[in-house]
Amino acid sequence: MTQAPLLRQITDYANRADPYPLYAELRKTPVLQEEDGGPFVISTYWDIQSLLHDPRISSDASNLTAQGDELTEQEEEAALPPSFLRLDPPEHDRLRRMTNRPFGPPHSPRRVHDMRGELAGIVSGLIAGFGDTDRIDVVDQFSYPFPVTVICRLLGVPREDEARFHSWADTIAAGLDPVPGDDPTERNRVTHEARMQLGMYLAGLVEERRKTPGDDMLSELVTSHGPDGPMTTMEVLSTAALLLIAGHETTVNLITNGMLTLLRHPEVLQRLRDDPRLAVNIVEELLRYEPPVQLVPQRTCIADIEVRGVTIPKGSSIWLVLAAGNRDPERFKDPERFDPDRQDIQHLGFGSGIHSCFGAPLARLEAQLALTELARRLDNPRLVEDPPPYRQNAVLRGPRHLNITFDGLRP
């Protein structure tokens, strides 16, 4: 094989509905590079987990030998600096620690827990909004507006501005997708423009919060002066942009993938309807079985690393195919089966190591509440088409639409 066919298979839209046979083929060669200069593709659970915890693996694009100078120059020219997701320690640790102060333990241990009632109210309102129809698009009418509303309230971004930042978020998220054949110069230009527009929008909100702080996270990022000192304005903007985009993009897919999987497994849907406590196990198994983030293509070796006898040279690009690791038979028994009773679900759905998903507690709660209420309220829900149409993005994989029909709404 040459490099192009493999990259096309991983990112080809034709494989979006079911990429798992391809992932099984990848696992036959756990460390795969199809030609010099191409990325090393890692697809087995233990190797992925090990590399996610390895300090010799960098998230900083400037360490990539083949593209380092070009990417560094782009970052310097960008309206927003890299978020902590694209940084290494100690800067990563400092910014993540500062961002966590208003979000979770130890400083705000009940922030997510105390949102449960508010989240449940949003879910109920969206379902009530279905009206008298017997057919809906789960994405457009539920799994997209739910997490967007939540992250807007949490950050303090006006919900009515969603139409403005939606296209910027889509463009920036699309920039994560390593699609071969794209004009990189044009894609970088479009992504740069979206980042600039989003940065200008957020800058206006930051100035408002400086003058009149509220009880939202954006206000706390602007005004907080913890042990690490205050964030600079550019750090606040970069962090706010990350939270705004990551705070809804992946959760949309988690909820949509979850509903699709439950409709394909009606016996599990019925069990959830009968016992809402099953939602915790269902969501964890979904994160293994149908993770919203399929692969991480933005890692670089900062030293030579040996994986299964293969030396990956310093400066090489590494792709970690999380979804392939999640179905690795060396790690999970009967991995192709969706099993909410699975006792060992140490999945890679939220990554692992220092870059594990910052918003995991909130995403879990959102998905649990959303799927439980859909299971309870929808009477005899059925798929209109299977498979549904998928989003183009191979990294953030999920249906673009999920049309379902049902017999009515239960009270």
Side-chain angles (χ1 to χ4, degrees), residues 43-351:
S43 53
T44 53
Y45 179 94
W46 295 114
D47 295 324
I48 293 171
Q49 187 186 59
S50 176
L51 291 173
L52 286 171
H53 287 261
D54 195 319
R56 297 171 296 175
I57 299 296
S58 170
S59 296
D60 188 335
S62 66
N63 288 314
L64 185 60
T65 298
Q67 305 173 35
D69 292 339
E70 177 187 352
L71 289 177
T72 302
E73 187 175 314
Q74 290 167 9
E75 296 286 2
E76 289 174 350
E77 292 176 355
L80 296 177
S83 68
F84 61 77
L85 189 65
R86 301 299 309 278
L87 296 174
D88 297 331
E91 281 302 285
H92 162 273
D93 299 349
R94 178 182 68 86
L95 289 173
R96 181 164 175 143
R97 195 163 53 236
M98 295 170 74
T99 307
N100 199 59
R101 287 182 65 86
F103 183 71
H107 304 287
S108 306
R110 296 184 60 85
R111 185 72 183 245
V112 172
H113 178 273
D114 290 346
M115 295 179 68
R116 178 180 287 271
E118 184 178 12
L119 300 185
I122 297 170
V123 168
S124 296
L126 288 170
I127 293 177
F130 297 165
D132 295 330
T133 185
D134 62 357
R135 175 171 171 160
I136 62 165
D137 179 351
V138 173
V139 176
D140 286 350
Q141 293 172 255
F142 185 82
S143 61
Y144 178 79
F146 175 36
V148 167
T149 300
V150 172
I151 196 63
C152 283
R153 291 189 185 180
L154 184 64
L155 277 177
V157 173
R159 179 64 176 85
E160 59 269 23
D161 288 350
E162 182 271 336
R164 296 179 61 188
F165 64 73
H166 186 180
S167 61
W168 302 328
D170 279 353
T171 300
I172 295 168
L176 299 173
D177 203 13
V179 181
D182 272 10
D183 179 352
T185 301
E186 175 61 16
R187 189 166 71 166
N188 288 337
R189 185 194 67 77
V190 172
T191 303
H192 171 91
E193 176 68 19
R195 285 171 60 84
M196 182 177 68
Q197 293 293 335
L198 180 57
M200 292 172 61
Y201 167 73
L202 290 171
L205 295 181
V206 165
E207 286 308 305
E208 291 178 10
R209 296 308 187 280
R210 288 194 195 281
K211 297 174 183 176
T212 311
D215 60 356
D216 52 78
M217 274 191 69
L218 191 56
S219 294
E220 295 183 59
L221 292 177
V222 169
T223 60
S224 177
H225 293 77
D228 292 294
M231 284 188 182
T232 67
T233 297
M234 294 304 287
E235 288 171 345
V236 171
L237 295 179
S238 178
T239 301
L242 171 65
L243 297 179
L244 181 61
I245 296 172
H248 74 271
E249 284 283 349
T250 54
T251 309
V252 173
N253 288 344
L254 177 57
I255 295 171
T256 310
N257 289 337
M259 194 59 192
L260 174 61
T261 302
L262 289 175
L263 290 169
R264 288 171 171 171
H265 296 81
E267 73 287 354
V268 179
L269 182 65
Q270 183 60 50
R271 287 181 61 194
L272 177 60
R273 183 178 297 126
D274 295 338
D275 183 6
R277 294 173 299 179
L278 189 61
V280 173
N281 277 37
I282 285 176
V283 169
E284 293 310 304
E285 175 67 344
L286 283 169
L287 286 160
R288 182 198 68 83
Y289 184 77
E290 284 279 27
V293 179
Q294 295 275 292
L295 69 145
V296 177
Q298 298 168 333
R299 294 291 188 270
T300 309
C301 293
I302 57 175
D304 289 358
I305 296 178
E306 185 175 310
V307 180
R308 300 206 184 199
V310 177
T311 298
I312 303 178
K314 175 182 178 181
S316 298
S317 174
I318 297 178
W319 289 14
L320 304 175
V321 189
L322 307 180
N326 273 346
R327 295 203 187 186
D328 185 350
E330 291 185 359
R331 176 60 182 85
F332 297 104
K333 182 180 179 181
D334 199 5
E336 300 297 328
R337 182 164 64 95
F338 176 66
D339 180 12
D341 298 315
R342 192 180 296 275
Q343 296 300 304
D344 179 11
I345 322 179
Q346 296 297 316
H347 55 74
L348 299 168
F350 285 133

Side-chain angles (χ1 to χ4, degrees), residues 8-20 23 177 179 290 294 387-399:
R8 275 201 300 270
Q9 287 180 70
I10 294 176
T11 61
D12 191 345
Y13 184 77
N15 291 317
R16 199 72 77 247
D18 186 11
Y20 296 102
Y23 296 158
D177 203 13
V179 181
E290 284 279 27
Q294 295 275 292
Y390 275 77
R391 300 171 64 181
Q392 291 291 334
N393 202 315
V395 174
L396 304 176
R397 174 180 170 269

